[in-house]
Amino acid sequence: MNKTPDSKPPPTSVDVESSSTTTACRRCKTDCSNEVFREELAVCPSCGWHAPLNAQEWIQHLADVDSFREIGKRLHSADPLDFNVTEPYVERLREAEERTGMHEAAISGEARLDGHTLVLISLEFDFLGGTMGSVVGEKVARAFQAATRRKLPVVSVIASGGARIQEGILALMQMAKTATAVAAHKAAGLPYISVMTNPSFGGTFASFGSLGDILIGEPEAQIGFVGARVVEGTIDERIPKEERRAETVLAHGMIDMVVPRRALRNQLAVLLSQLTADRNPHWPAVKLAPTQKPTRNATEIVQLARSPERPRARHYVDRIFSSFTELHGDRCYGDDDAILTGLATLHGHPVMVIAQTGQVMPMPEGYRKTYRLLKLAEKFHLPVITFVDTPGAFPGLEAEHRGIALTIGENLGLLASLEVPIINVVIGEGGSGGALALGLADVILMQENAIYSVIAPEGAAAILLRDASQTDELVSGLKLRAHDLLEQGVIDGIVPEPPGGAHRDYDAAARLVMERLVHHLGQLSGTKPKRLIRNRATRFGSIGKFERGVSTMLRAMVKRFKTA
């Protein structure tokens, strides 16, 4: 761990049993030498159990050596209610100070993390359960205010049971105080990353703890709104512990990732680099491979676009970008694997990647995740790269009940007004509105063996021929090949594929896509946000074919009359 100045030696973690030379893991009971246990950051080397770190240990772990300077150091709790139930509040405070060596349940200050200057906030669970009273709320608010003034990112480490009962409504109002400070920091376009350790509950999590741009959980950390005893006491319901674990919370779309403690510092450094990088990047000039004339008919290209051997979004992400930090969840219901999202690095510059994973129909939570990440890209002025590859959005009743049409419409509205460059690449099948929800862009590209259509051929056959199997009659008429769409002015360019198709050489296919991305990002770089939006409106406003004057029906009637 990194050393922090003027800090007392931390007390032994509450979730381990220690002798003079060894520490026993509470979960697997394995003995570990104290020296090794400290080197492992209180993570059991046998079973991986994460014993708690105290607030000062977290600062020592995350802050560069001798870089931490505390904010609000001399604040102490008062006793505003003269609280004397079960035990005088002032006595509880005195005992907590003696036990932890801290004046309150929070410590915050300016520091550096891998060279990045930031503000760190750390909560101490052993100080009255890490609860938030007036002093904790004030310390957190001052930390965000200092970060806003200095234009610095914030990282918070939560370990709390919620609001402090002994301060009554004043403690509850700290939720509003801290949320207000976070809102001002957010309005300044500054990054905030929130880390949830075990436990993270109540008003602390439901205010500043949940408002991070990125939410990270520690493995198996208990995360939730209300603790088990309160739930049982109010509605007589028992919530199993596994339902509150970080991994379950991740699956329900409430946090972005679960990161082991030993990897956390590096993950934070990567995120800070991606969220604070130069917003005026220089993109290198590239020589683009020429596009060949089409040699395959529509039926053959449909088969290639849907081939299970064709590279999908994950293959391209792994090959095109030098780093990729996957972000999960819609912060509402779930995390949809049909849409892959995250921060990536292309030629040293951060971008936001949003990709359909291929031959899977996204659910509403996938599009809500997309919406959230698009807003994040706009906040941090990151170019957006989207990959389309889906037969369409999931059409079932479950999706209807969760608002599939609304989420697609919301994505389209946001893409139309997003103040950053957007490049879209159709890499497989682009089917209907489910594809277009990622497809409204400044530049639309298609691989030469991809398809893009108002509806999947099977759907068109079901509607027009009342037989979904009769697709051969419709495929050519739908004009769904890349060359067809280029002729119609719907797309801006065709990405050539290796001889025989992208499935023959994943690396070559990815290189050809990357060249187009870098080329068009270079062309869009420096374009003012308002100009991007105007150009987008002009471009999509000009799409469509229609005629003025006499209607088609009337012309047909005149033609029949003359023939007769």
Side-chain angles (χ1 to χ4, degrees):
M1 292 186 207
N2 298 295
K3 183 182 177 183
T4 307
D6 304 323
S7 61
K8 297 181 180 180
T12 302
S13 171
V14 296
D15 268 14
V16 295
E17 298 172 349
S18 295
S19 67
S20 58
T21 59
T22 64
T23 298
C25 173
R26 280 284 179 91
R27 186 168 71 176
C28 71
K29 308 302 182 184
T30 301
D31 285 329
C32 177
S33 75
N34 290 338
E35 182 180 359
V36 170
F37 194 68
R38 283 193 297 270
E39 290 176 353
E40 294 293 325
L41 302 172
V43 177
C44 176
S46 296
C47 70
W49 170 246
H50 286 53
L53 294 180
N54 64 40
Q56 292 176 343
E57 287 176 310
W58 273 112
I59 298 295
Q60 291 167 6
H61 173 40
L62 297 178
D64 293 350
V65 175
D66 293 335
S67 69
F68 183 77
R69 298 294 179 267
E70 189 171 352
I71 297 170
K73 185 174 183 178
R74 302 188 183 281
L75 296 176
H76 299 266
S77 286
D79 186 8
L81 305 186
D82 193 22
F83 195 86
N84 197 25
V85 179
T86 67
E87 184 179 355
Y89 181 37
V90 291
E91 287 299 314
R92 295 287 306 276
L93 290 170
R94 183 185 60 78
E95 292 168 0
E97 283 192 31
E98 292 177 353
R99 185 171 59 254
T100 64
M102 294 178 60
H103 298 306
E104 249 300 340
I107 181 172
S108 62
E110 187 176 317
R112 289 189 303 276
L113 191 160
D114 197 35
H116 298 279
T117 304
L118 77 164
V119 169
L120 278 174
I121 301 169
S122 181
L123 299 191
E124 175 55 67
F125 187 75
D126 205 27
F127 195 109
L128 298 185
T131 49
M132 182 165 63
S134 298
V135 171
V136 171
E138 182 68 16
K139 283 193 168 192
V140 170
R142 288 190 186 188
F144 276 98
Q145 290 159 1
T148 304
R149 286 194 305 271
R150 294 286 313 279
K151 301 188 184 307
L152 297 176
V154 175
V155 171
S156 67
V157 182
I158 309 298
S160 175
R164 190 166 298 175
I165 295 173
Q166 294 91 336
E167 294 188 24
I169 195 69
L170 298 180
L172 182 69
M173 290 299 125
Q174 303 311 305
M175 294 175 65
K177 175 189 282 188
T178 57
T180 300
V182 175
H185 185 260
K186 180 179 181 179
L190 299 166
Y192 169 35
I193 303 171
S194 181
V195 180
M196 265 66 68
T197 72
N198 188 32
S200 295
F201 277 102
T204 309
F205 175 49
S207 57
F208 75 94
S210 65
L211 292 176
D213 299 301
I214 310 289
L215 301 185
I216 301 175
E218 275 212 298
E220 299 187 50
Q222 291 287 300
I223 302 170
F225 177 47
V226 180
R229 280 187 294 174
V230 176
V231 174
E232 290 180 35
T234 53
I235 62 172
D236 194 28
E237 179 182 338
R238 289 180 176 271
I239 299 179
K241 272 196 169 185
E242 53 268 24
E243 291 298 320
R244 303 291 191 94
R245 285 179 181 164
E247 292 78 4
T248 306
V249 176
L250 176 69
H252 284 290
M254 304 303 168
I255 60 177
D256 287 286
M257 62 187 79
V258 174
V259 180
R261 187 174 296 162
R262 283 167 286 192
L264 179 63
R265 192 172 191 272
N266 181 66
Q267 181 65 82
L268 290 172
V270 170
L271 286 167
L272 289 169
S273 295
Q274 292 172 321
L275 296 177
T276 59
D278 178 18
R279 299 312 179 214
N280 294 299
H282 171 73
W283 297 96
V286 293
K287 184 178 180 180
L288 301 180
T291 302
Q292 306 298 323
K293 291 183 178 180
T295 59
R296 296 183 176 92
N297 62 38
T299 300
E300 291 171 330
I301 286 187
V302 168
Q303 292 171 348
L304 274 177
R306 293 176 168 179
S307 169
E309 297 178 355
R310 188 171 181 83
R312 301 300 173 188
R314 178 65 77 169
H315 300 116
Y316 287 112
V317 168
D318 291 344
R319 287 164 172 79
I320 291 174
F321 305 103
S322 57
S323 70
F324 179 69
T325 304
E326 187 172 357
L327 303 176
H328 293 270
D330 64 351
R331 304 271 176 94
C332 179
Y333 180 86
D335 181 55
D336 187 0
D337 291 338
I339 298 183
L340 173 73
T341 59
L343 293 163
T345 304
L346 179 61
H347 274 276
H349 304 304
V351 296
M352 182 68 74
V353 174
I354 302 173
Q356 291 161 337
T357 55
Q359 298 181 306
V360 182
M361 293 181 167
M363 297 292 284
E365 46 270 26
Y367 294 113
R368 281 194 296 265
K369 176 169 64 171
T370 296
Y371 190 96
R372 182 173 76 83
L373 272 298
L374 289 172
K375 295 295 290 184
L376 199 67
E378 186 173 53
K379 175 181 176 180
F380 296 114
H381 310 289
L382 302 175
V384 174
I385 296 171
T386 63
F387 293 95
V388 161
D389 189 8
T390 181
F394 186 75
L397 190 59
E398 185 180 5
E400 293 278 9
H401 286 169
R402 299 213 291 270
I404 188 67
L406 298 177
T407 59
I408 290 173
E410 287 169 349
N411 271 274
L412 290 171
L414 179 56
L415 287 166
S417 61
L418 207 67
E419 295 187 346
V420 295
I422 310 167
I423 298 179
N424 169 238
V425 189
V426 183
I427 59 173
E429 180 173 7
S432 194
L436 186 61
L438 270 65
L440 197 163
D442 302 300
V443 175
I444 303 175
L445 306 172
M446 284 182 70
Q447 286 187 298
E448 63 175 299
N449 294 315
I451 59 174
Y452 206 175
S453 178
V454 64
I455 191 171
E458 293 80 5
I463 293 172
L464 299 179
L465 304 176
R466 299 186 181 277
D467 185 351
S469 66
Q470 299 298 313
T471 60
D472 289 346
E473 298 179 42
L474 287 172
V475 166
S476 61
L478 288 172
K479 304 293 184 185
L480 43 66
R481 300 179 306 169
H483 291 85
D484 298 327
L485 274 70
L486 186 63
E487 287 181 4
Q488 295 177 58
V490 173
I491 68 172
D492 301 288
I494 298 172
V495 183
E497 298 184 21
H503 62 288
R504 296 291 181 86
D505 190 337
Y506 283 21
D507 292 338
R511 185 169 60 253
L512 290 164
V513 172
M514 181 178 67
E515 289 172 356
R516 257 58 180 188
L517 293 176
V518 172
H519 171 74
H520 288 289
L521 284 169
Q523 290 191 326
L524 293 170
S525 181
T527 306
K528 300 291 185 185
K530 300 303 181 186
R531 171 64 66 181
L532 286 171
I533 294 170
R534 285 199 299 271
N535 290 348
R536 230 173 274 154
T538 300
R539 183 254 177 82
F540 286 96
S542 67
I543 293 178
K545 301 292 184 182
F546 51 86
E547 296 178 354
R548 299 182 185 276
V550 179
S551 71
T552 303
M553 182 184 299
L554 186 55
R555 287 201 306 273
M557 291 174 62
V558 170
K559 183 178 181 180
R560 285 199 299 270
F561 177 77
K562 289 180 176 179
T563 303

